[in-house]
Amino acid sequence: NQFDFSGKQLSDASIDAKWNLKNISMFSEFALSDNGGHALLAGAVASLDAHVDACFVYRDYQKNFQSLFANAFGESSTPNNEKGFYTGVSIKPVSRIQLDAYSDFYQKPWLDYQVDAPLAFGNDYLLQLTFKPSKTIELYVRYKTETKQENLTGNISVSDFLEPNNHQTLRLNFK
């Protein structure tokens, strides 16, 4: 909790920008908290083809950045102590089928919840195939895998060690 906010007043300032260049929309935001911590988010969304869209997002949230009501893009629920790169793609090969995929690679430069060592890293991958035979029927199958480093379970030494924690889900949904 060394870098968590404590006090009665907090000020943040930010500047954002958006650029459109033909079929590419680029965006960025830089924020600064009154303790000197900063956060940066930058990315682009592009229509590569009539049937293919792609997204790329880079984030760098310093460990000492503080914002009370932020809802930032990232692995954590708060926009601090995280650097990462996300890329996603959406493909519509035919009118009723859509394939979505993303990958997200991130690093925690400082200590975090259940991570008692700096420089922990993780990654997420998702693949989803959606079939919409009509306006009222939708079927999709989704596979997601996530790997993140956490404290070694059962560790009895003075130092904490990190181990990869893998989580996989498979979902079939009919609506």
Side-chain angles (χ1 to χ4, degrees):
N1 298 329
Q2 178 180 355
F3 299 104
D4 288 351
F5 173 72
S6 63
K8 296 182 180 181
Q9 185 175 338
L10 175 66
S11 297
D12 289 329
S14 69
I15 187 168
D16 62 90
K18 182 177 178 183
W19 305 274
N20 290 315
L21 179 64
K22 294 187 181 182
N23 59 338
I24 301 172
S25 178
M26 296 170 278
F27 55 90
S28 66
E29 181 176 9
F30 178 79
L32 188 66
S33 54
D34 60 6
N35 67 342
H38 71 260
L40 171 69
L41 180 78
V45 178
S47 288
L48 304 176
D49 181 82
H51 306 285
V52 181
D53 296 322
C55 175
F56 308 92
V57 181
Y58 172 76
R59 62 193 182 274
D60 182 356
Y61 309 140
Q62 283 192 334
K63 63 187 174 193
N64 61 336
F65 177 72
Q66 300 170 345
S67 182
L68 298 179
F69 303 109
N71 187 10
F73 182 88
E75 175 66 20
S76 301
S77 59
T78 57
N80 57 17
N81 191 34
E82 184 173 322
K83 291 181 182 186
F85 186 74
Y86 170 96
T87 183
V89 65
S90 182
I91 303 169
K92 296 177 185 171
V94 293
S95 66
R96 295 185 171 124
I97 295 177
Q98 181 171 327
L99 178 65
D100 298 308
Y102 76 73
S103 63
D104 186 21
F105 301 94
Y106 59 90
Q107 181 183 45
K108 301 285 189 172
W110 189 243
L111 312 181
D112 203 24
Y113 177 70
Q114 294 186 347
V115 179
D116 295 340
L119 300 177
F121 61 88
N123 55 62
D124 296 351
Y125 301 100
L126 178 132
L127 185 62
Q128 178 173 308
L129 181 63
T130 304
F131 175 58
K132 288 178 110 175
S134 70
K135 290 182 179 183
T136 59
I137 297 173
E138 178 181 281
L139 172 71
Y140 71 80
V141 60
R142 175 189 300 161
Y143 174 71
K144 182 178 179 185
T145 180
E146 178 179 14
T147 302
K148 63 171 82 174
Q149 289 186 308
E150 293 181 344
N151 294 337
L152 181 67
T153 54
N155 182 29
I156 57 171
S157 69
V158 175
S159 299
D160 280 318
F161 297 96
L162 301 179
E163 68 177 342
N165 182 352
N166 300 309
H167 183 77
Q168 297 181 35
T169 58
L170 181 63
R171 178 177 183 165
L172 179 62
N173 190 76
F174 178 75
K175 181 168 71 170

